[in-house]
Amino acid sequence: MSREPELNDLQRNIIAALQVDGRATWRKIATVLGEPERTVARYGSSLLADRKVIVAALQHHSSAMIVAFKCAPGTAQLACEALAQRADTSYSYMVTGQNDVVAELRYDGDITETLTLQLPATPGVRQYVAYPVLKFFKTIRGWTAGNLTEAQRQALAPELTGDPRTLHDFDELSSTDEQIIAALAQDGRASIESIARQVKLGESTVSRRLEWLLRSEYLSIRALVEPALLERPVEALLWVQTSPRHLEELGQRLATLPEVRYAAAVAGDCQLIVDVTVRSQADLYRFISHATWGDQLAQVKTSMVVQARKRGGRKLA
């Protein structure tokens, strides 16, 4: 819930453009925004160099679960850090409420060893509850900042996106594909030429493999930015109970709201887990108590995000 220095409107719109297409050229972004290319390149390069925004690839997996941990007194930060270090976690948050840490794990195949041996051995963890994800209504790939119009979003949208909401079975990747994903995980804006040098293949081959990886939804390119930098310093996880017959409609409606960064249908004692970012606790109260929930909300429990150690598969500095 810390505050960051404010950005100007152009910086926010550049970030929004990168959230739509993290690999868009400065020229394309400048054209869509109607700004000088030199100015956009200067601001954009500075945002990346200062790591106020990070563009990185996230590899998709066939399954995901959200895990809520209770920790021994004084060990929540240690547990959050340990979970952030895991290669299979997408995010790791310290939170308030009945749990101390919440993390999302993505995986393929059997999860038994992770659940029975690895997670219980996490430093500081006393107990945990796992919520298998049944469906993503929205991920951070679908959340944008700035004031882009729908026409601007359409103009920026890449032909191939690798929809990160999709959960389905994936075939085993070749070592070359894994190297390409690893290169893009470090720098989602890396040029084809740069990736080709790293994997020691021709540029045309790398270009074809990247297109296939995106088209087949093996990965997506994400622009990661702290909500506080976008004047949304208050972040909360909502654990929502609703009737099964209302689940789809409510999930789809929440996905359209600008306050919602992430929404997933889960199996467990709640039906939806929703990540919300707003300007103040008063705004959070208004969001929770707003009539948009209608009679579809049975109960909601709120956990404030105290600290994020990992987002979008990337550890935060």
Side-chain angles (χ1 to χ4, degrees), residues 53-69:
V53 60
I54 298 171
V55 179
L58 178 69
Q59 184 175 350
H60 301 168
H61 295 276
S62 59
S63 303
M65 66 172 55
I66 299 167
V67 189
F69 298 87

Side-chain angles (χ1 to χ4, degrees), residues 164-196:
R165 295 176 301 171
T166 304
L167 289 173
H168 58 73
D169 293 332
F170 293 102
D171 294 328
E172 188 173 347
L173 292 172
S174 69
S175 59
T176 297
D177 292 329
E178 290 177 345
Q179 290 178 60
I180 292 172
I181 292 174
L184 288 166
Q186 291 302 311
D187 179 7
R189 290 180 63 80
S191 67
I192 296 298
E193 178 185 4
S194 171
I195 298 171

Side-chain angles (χ1 to χ4, degrees), residues 3-282:
R3 291 188 177 273
E4 298 280 351
E6 291 186 5
L7 302 177
N8 62 40
D9 288 342
L10 178 54
Q11 288 173 309
R12 282 193 287 269
N13 285 336
I14 291 172
I15 290 174
L18 290 172
Q19 288 177 308
V20 176
D21 182 4
R23 291 180 61 80
T25 64
W26 300 133
R27 175 172 295 181
K28 180 179 180 181
I29 293 173
T31 300
V32 172
L33 297 182
E35 298 285 348
E37 181 181 349
R38 182 175 298 180
T39 303
V40 168
R42 176 165 55 86
Y43 274 131
S45 298
S46 177
L47 288 167
L48 293 169
D50 294 341
R51 298 182 68 81
K52 291 181 177 178
V53 60
I54 298 171
V55 179
L58 178 69
Q59 184 175 350
H60 301 168
H61 295 276
S62 59
S63 303
M65 66 172 55
I66 299 167
V67 189
F69 298 87
K70 292 183 179 180
C71 302
T75 65
Q77 192 164 20
L78 177 65
C80 189
E81 182 67 29
L83 290 161
Q85 296 282 356
R86 293 181 59 99
D88 57 359
T89 53
S90 300
Y91 60 76
S92 178
Y93 300 159
M94 284 179 56
V95 299
T96 65
Q98 62 182 358
N99 301 302
D100 300 300
V101 177
V102 176
E104 182 194 74
L105 281 73
R106 297 208 174 198
Y107 60 95
D108 299 300
D110 189 6
I111 194 71
T112 303
E113 181 178 344
T114 300
L115 291 174
T116 60
L117 297 176
Q118 296 178 14
L119 295 184
T122 303
V125 167
R126 279 187 168 177
Q127 64 185 77
Y128 70 87
V129 178
Y131 297 86
V133 174
L134 306 178
K135 178 177 180 176
F136 288 110
F137 291 102
K138 190 176 188 177
T139 68
I140 59 171
R141 177 68 174 78
W143 179 73
T144 58
N147 296 302
L148 299 186
T149 66
E150 184 58 33
Q152 287 173 321
R153 289 190 181 90
Q154 291 295 328
L156 286 162
E159 179 183 352
L160 302 173
T161 62
D163 188 350
R165 295 176 301 171
T166 304
L167 289 173
H168 58 73
D169 293 332
F170 293 102
D171 294 328
E172 188 173 347
L173 292 172
S174 69
S175 59
T176 297
D177 292 329
E178 290 177 345
Q179 290 178 60
I180 292 172
I181 292 174
L184 288 166
Q186 291 302 311
D187 179 7
R189 290 180 63 80
S191 67
I192 296 298
E193 178 185 4
S194 171
I195 298 171
R197 285 199 303 270
Q198 293 181 58
V199 303
K200 298 179 173 58
L201 287 174
E203 292 180 30
S204 60
T205 300
V206 169
S207 181
R208 287 196 304 272
R209 295 313 298 169
L210 176 55
E211 179 178 340
W212 178 81
L213 288 167
L214 288 167
R215 190 183 301 278
S216 303
E217 299 180 347
Y218 278 89
L219 82 160
S220 58
I221 307 295
R222 296 184 174 188
L224 308 174
V225 58
E226 280 298 288
L229 191 63
L230 303 172
E231 300 178 350
R232 292 177 178 270
V234 176
E235 181 173 8
L237 295 178
L238 309 183
W239 309 77
V240 179
Q241 291 182 354
T242 186
S243 166
R245 65 190 179 93
H246 291 147
L247 178 57
E248 179 69 19
E249 181 182 350
L250 181 56
Q252 294 290 356
R253 185 188 308 151
L254 288 170
T256 66
L257 301 179
E259 297 91 345
V260 173
R261 299 179 71 248
Y262 172 102
V266 298
D269 55 13
C270 66
Q271 287 68 54
L272 284 165
I273 298 177
V274 183
D275 187 334
V276 174
T277 54
V278 291
R279 295 177 183 272
S280 66
Q281 291 187 0

